[in-house]
Amino acid sequence: MNSEALATANIMFDFMSEAAVAKSREDILTSLDRTARHFGFSCFAMSGIPLPTERIDPYFMLNAWPYEWFERYLASNYVHSDPIIHLSKMQDSAFVWSEALRDQELGRHARRVMNEAREFKMNDGYSVPLHTANGFQAIITFGAEQVDLSRAARGALHIISIYAHNTIRSLLTQKVKSQDRSLLRITAREREIIQWCAAGKTALEIGEILGRSQRTIQNEILNVQRKLNVVNAAQMIAESFRYGILR
């Protein structure tokens, strides 16, 4: 692991350590704000995604947007015109706004949202769509004048975002999940596979390391995801840290 990747991993682990003992949304907001600024972002927000007939107001979980932009976004009900929200509903992977919108032909309302965001130095950003196994959709989105994220930074911020979202949801619903790994029945082999996933290895690479077929590894990963009630590898890694399966 090179020095940049090591520093990025340390930032991720520092955030998780703080979030693990957080008592309130304000604690998470403070830690996430410090982490976001490390990656070059000046603001961020976390929210559930409302249905087409709903407003976004009650879905906001964390808000560190510029105050005037937040008020305008709510007053104008921009959520249903926001192309970033639209993209997040259509895909599972995190994305940089400028890259994702490069070949998109935006309508008048979508262009208005993006142009007005630039008034608040949100020229670009990084968004993490969140889709839970029970169908709940959410997004964590970071804004900046310019985005310059390495592959390691993108991966770390993706996992940080999932971890933050799951911690906030637990705080809001007053549900304390057990940290006892045995209740999840995660086997030693499954934990080893999760560790390799966290190290950035693909199912094919893990199969070669462990002497098993790619399909077998893919099936084991899917089985772990079902146990953790998640829908992708990034969520599996984040929840594994949150449950103490990975440390």
Side-chain angles (χ1 to χ4, degrees):
M1 183 179 292
N2 61 38
S3 58
E4 189 271 341
L6 181 59
T8 298
N10 287 337
I11 291 296
M12 182 177 72
F13 290 127
D14 287 345
F15 172 80
M16 289 178 172
S17 296
E18 293 177 359
V21 296
K23 303 299 183 184
S24 66
R25 282 190 293 179
E26 289 69 27
D27 291 341
I28 298 294
L29 189 147
T30 298
S31 295
L32 192 56
D33 181 69
R34 183 165 54 251
T35 303
R37 292 183 185 281
H38 170 84
F39 289 109
F41 295 100
S42 58
C43 58
F44 64 90
M46 177 193 299
S47 177
I49 297 177
L51 296 173
T53 57
E54 298 177 318
R55 294 182 60 85
I56 197 173
D57 309 40
Y59 283 88
F60 263 95
M61 302 176 197
L62 287 181
N63 173 39
W65 273 352
Y67 176 77
E68 290 184 18
W69 173 239
F70 178 70
E71 291 295 305
R72 184 186 302 183
Y73 194 94
L74 294 187
S76 302
N77 200 29
Y78 276 161
V79 62
H80 300 302
S81 302
D82 189 339
I84 304 305
I85 295 292
H86 177 72
L87 280 172
S88 73
K89 292 193 290 186
M90 304 298 292
Q91 66 183 64
D92 193 44
S93 57
F95 57 90
V96 174
W97 300 354
S98 56
E99 295 173 358
L101 295 175
R102 185 175 297 146
D103 299 321
Q104 298 277 338
E105 185 172 346
L106 299 182
R108 178 169 58 89
H109 296 298
R111 288 198 307 273
R112 178 180 178 181
V113 173
M114 299 308 293
N115 288 337
E116 291 188 14
R118 292 188 183 97
E119 297 176 21
F120 301 92
K121 299 184 178 180
M122 296 171 68
N123 302 344
D124 204 352
Y126 184 70
S127 291
V128 179
L130 300 165
H131 305 279
T132 67
N134 62 7
F136 181 77
Q137 291 183 309
I139 183 173
I140 300 181
T141 195
F142 301 86
E145 291 189 78
Q146 183 178 353
V147 174
D148 182 18
L149 291 174
S150 66
R151 180 179 176 182
R154 293 183 189 213
L157 197 53
H158 192 174
I159 292 172
I160 286 167
S161 297
I162 296 168
Y163 194 98
H165 172 258
N166 292 345
T167 303
I168 285 290
R169 289 197 73 189
S170 292
L171 288 171
L172 290 177
T173 58
Q174 299 297 306
K175 290 180 181 178
V176 181
K177 291 189 175 182
S178 171
Q179 299 299 306
D180 186 351
R181 294 195 298 267
S182 65
L183 294 179
L184 296 172
R185 297 194 178 93
I186 299 296
T187 67
R189 176 50 60 87
E190 288 171 339
R191 184 157 65 258
E192 185 178 15
I193 290 172
I194 298 170
Q195 288 171 335
W196 284 119
C197 287
K201 301 297 183 182
T202 65
L204 176 60
E205 292 170 331
I206 297 171
E208 291 173 349
I209 293 168
L210 300 180
R212 307 180 78 178
S213 71
Q214 179 181 2
R215 176 171 294 181
T216 296
I217 298 300
Q218 287 173 332
N219 287 336
E220 295 216 32
I221 290 172
L222 288 173
N223 190 46
V224 173
Q225 289 175 5
R226 283 193 292 269
K227 289 182 179 182
L228 294 175
N229 196 32
V230 300
V231 296
N232 59 43
Q235 291 180 358
M236 177 185 71
I237 294 166
E239 284 292 80
S240 293
F241 279 113
R242 199 162 74 92
Y243 276 113
I245 297 166
L246 295 181
R247 296 183 184 278

